[in-house]
Amino acid sequence: MKKITLFVPVLVVLMACGGVKQTQKAVNSGDYQNAINKALHNLAENKTKKGHQPYILLLEDAFKKNTERELKHIAFLEKDGNEASYEDIYKGYVRLRDIQERIRPLLPLRIIEENRDAEFSFSNYENDIIDYKEDLSEYLFDNAEHLLTNAVSKQDFRKAYNDFVYLEEINPGFEDTRQKIEEAHAKGIDYVEVKMLNNSNQIIPSRLSEELLNFNTFGLDDLWTKYHNNPLPNIKYDYGMQVSFDQIDISPEQLSEKEIIKEKQIKDGYKYAVDTNGNVVKDSLGNKIKIDKFKTVRCRFNQFTQFKSARVAGNVIYMDLNTKQQLNSYPLTSEFVFEHIYANSNGDKRALDTDLIQILDRVSVPFPSNEQMVYDAGEDLKARIKSIVGRHRFN
């Protein structure tokens, strides 16, 4: 026990030293952001803890070096004068401000050995952030609007959409950005026309057709893809999706019988134990000793199994409606099995096991119709179609 008690403080010290070394390594390698994050994390837990003193010095050093490097890079980009650099400059000023705001609540940070407070030279970057946010907003808006106006593909519309969304995030309400977002989104959507083809010799229940094609219940529409099973006249569809059923096999109704003879020894009263002279044997308390009597019981158990199966096979085919070319084809199969077991018996039911006795409570039931069998197989088909649509990519 003494060894464990002594080891715990040593382990804590080693862990603390490891954290300081990692932070120092980050500073030495120029990974100032990581060093600042590590130092702030530890100081936020307990800034007055003696073991956290090294983090104050490392934070002071990393902050100074990071600020110098960031401002030097910003100055270079400003001197270069390239409008494409507005985002980097804007983000640079935001990073500088955010680091200051994370340090500020911890101040003052006292360095005990040097008898002083850590020094952080803070600056006000708000005007720079506002100026470059406006410059960046105008730059993003002009470029995204140009892309929206001169788009040659839906990918262009989507890129314009992403730029407008980013612009709305950094500068909400800038000009008519929100309307541009809606316009770019509407023009960037792929519309997919969904059809069902029945090439089998079986009738597909109408309610199954409706459910298989009701993609609203599948939750498969995403930002850039919309599925329609009822085509709208004002929409030009980009792709076609055909759910084709080529084979539907339904087995005959089958009834099989199995007979089982069960025997079991059961208690049938008792008798008194006797010795070789025919005298009743008693225990140490003077009580007569009883011996269980057993007898063999027998029961004939007849088990009946009702069986019917349906197998549906086909394909999900994707077409490019502009080129009239097939893009991909996925096999689609599903099987549904109806099985019902019931039984009767003749003889002493005490010979039967519990699981067999439970079956005796069941009776024969009507076989499902062929239409119902196909519909029940469709429950699995819906999940399989959803899986196919979820992994297919148009571009």
Side-chain angles (χ1 to χ4, degrees):
M1 291 298 293
K2 289 183 179 179
K3 290 182 179 179
I4 296 175
T5 304
L6 291 172
F7 176 72
V8 172
V10 173
L11 179 60
V12 173
V13 170
L14 289 175
M15 292 175 62
C17 291
V20 171
K21 287 182 179 179
Q22 290 177 355
T23 308
Q24 181 67 68
K25 184 178 179 180
V27 174
N28 295 342
S29 63
D31 189 2
Y32 304 132
Q33 289 281 351
N34 190 23
I36 291 170
N37 289 338
K38 288 180 180 294
L40 286 173
H41 173 75
N42 284 278
L43 293 172
E45 290 180 351
N46 189 345
K47 71 174 186 176
T48 60
K49 184 178 178 180
K50 185 176 180 181
H52 285 177
Q53 280 286 295
Y55 288 115
I56 300 177
L57 291 169
L58 289 169
L59 177 61
E60 185 181 50
D61 188 30
F63 173 80
K64 179 180 179 181
K65 291 177 178 178
N66 180 74
T67 302
E68 290 175 352
R69 186 173 66 184
E70 195 81 79
L71 289 175
K72 184 177 180 181
H73 180 63
I74 290 174
F76 169 78
L77 294 177
E78 289 177 331
K79 185 175 181 180
D80 184 53
N82 189 339
E83 292 182 342
S85 299
Y86 286 163
E87 184 175 4
D88 286 340
I89 298 173
Y90 168 73
K91 288 183 175 180
Y93 280 125
V94 170
R95 284 193 297 269
L96 288 170
R97 178 198 62 188
D98 290 348
I99 290 173
Q100 291 183 169
E101 293 308 308
R102 292 175 62 195
I103 295 174
R104 200 183 301 275
L106 294 172
L107 299 180
L109 290 171
R110 190 69 179 173
I111 303 173
I112 298 173
E113 288 188 1
E114 299 180 14
N115 193 29
R116 67 177 180 87
D117 290 337
E119 296 180 359
F120 299 96
S121 181
F122 288 173
S123 298
N124 188 342
Y125 299 110
E126 296 303 324
N127 290 335
D128 298 301
I129 291 174
I130 292 172
D131 290 343
Y132 276 101
K133 182 173 69 173
E134 287 300 311
D135 292 341
L136 175 59
S137 298
E138 292 178 7
Y139 173 75
L140 286 172
F141 187 89
D142 292 343
N143 278 272
E145 188 175 43
H146 177 79
L147 191 58
L148 181 62
T149 304
N150 300 282
V152 296
S153 70
K154 295 205 171 184
Q155 292 300 323
D156 291 335
F157 291 122
R158 295 175 189 180
K159 187 177 184 305
Y161 170 87
N162 290 333
D163 287 345
F164 282 126
V165 168
Y166 175 58
L167 173 55
E168 181 66 15
E169 289 175 357
I170 65 171
N171 198 353
F174 183 83
E175 296 193 16
D176 57 346
T177 299
R178 292 173 186 171
Q179 290 84 348
K180 296 295 183 181
I181 289 174
E182 295 176 2
E183 180 184 350
H185 178 242
K187 293 181 177 179
I189 293 174
D190 282 330
Y191 287 96
V192 185
E193 182 180 1
V194 184
K195 292 182 179 179
M196 179 179 289
L197 300 177
N198 184 8
N199 298 318
S200 71
N201 294 321
Q202 296 285 347
I203 296 175
I204 297 178
S206 58
R207 59 176 176 155
L208 176 59
S209 299
E210 294 173 0
E211 290 180 14
L212 289 177
L213 295 182
N214 186 5
F215 276 59
N216 291 331
T217 62
F218 286 12
L220 293 174
D221 284 353
D222 58 33
L223 181 63
W224 298 116
T225 311
K226 304 296 179 186
Y227 294 86
H228 290 173
N229 60 308
N230 294 313
L232 300 175
N234 61 327
I235 291 179
K236 181 179 182 299
Y237 289 87
D238 305 280
Y239 301 101
M241 175 185 170
Q242 294 179 353
V243 181
S244 173
F245 294 109
D246 303 321
Q247 189 175 0
I248 300 178
D249 298 321
I250 302 175
S251 74
E253 298 175 356
Q254 303 172 42
L255 178 63
S256 61
E257 180 180 358
K258 180 173 65 174
E259 182 180 87
I260 304 172
I261 305 297
K262 300 290 289 186
E263 291 185 351
K264 184 186 293 185
Q265 281 195 328
I266 64 172
K267 289 183 180 181
D268 185 32
Y270 64 89
K271 62 183 179 179
Y272 292 111
V274 296
D275 58 19
T276 55
N277 297 320
N279 299 315
V280 176
V281 180
K282 298 181 180 180
D283 60 21
S284 60
L285 298 177
N287 299 315
K288 297 178 180 179
I289 298 176
K290 296 178 180 179
I291 299 176
D292 290 332
K293 293 170 60 178
F294 290 89
K295 73 174 182 178
T296 301
V297 293
R298 188 171 184 271
C299 185
R300 177 181 288 108
F301 182 85
N302 296 303
Q303 178 176 301
F304 302 91
T305 302
Q306 295 176 264
F307 180 87
K308 187 176 182 179
S309 66
R311 182 180 180 274
V312 180
N315 294 278
V316 175
I317 302 169
Y318 285 98
M319 302 287 295
D320 186 323
L321 298 182
N322 294 313
T323 63
K324 308 301 180 184
Q325 298 294 314
Q326 179 175 311
L327 297 175
N328 215 330
S329 177
Y330 301 91
L332 183 67
T333 59
S334 179
E335 186 172 7
F336 177 77
V337 173
F338 166 79
E339 185 178 65
H340 176 71
I341 299 174
Y342 65 98
N344 57 41
S345 65
N346 183 14
D348 195 325
K349 295 181 182 179
R350 291 178 296 176
L352 301 178
D353 297 328
T354 303
D355 58 335
L356 297 181
I357 294 176
Q358 292 175 346
I359 299 177
L360 291 175
D361 295 331
R362 305 175 188 170
V363 297
S364 173
V365 298
F367 281 93
S369 65
N370 289 358
E371 180 179 337
Q372 183 63 43
M373 292 292 293
V374 175
Y375 178 81
D376 290 335
E379 289 300 307
D380 178 57
L381 282 174
K382 284 188 278 188
R384 294 181 183 273
I385 291 174
K386 183 175 182 177
S387 175
I388 289 172
V389 175
R391 68 175 185 266
H392 179 79
R393 294 293 178 268
F394 291 104
N395 42 48

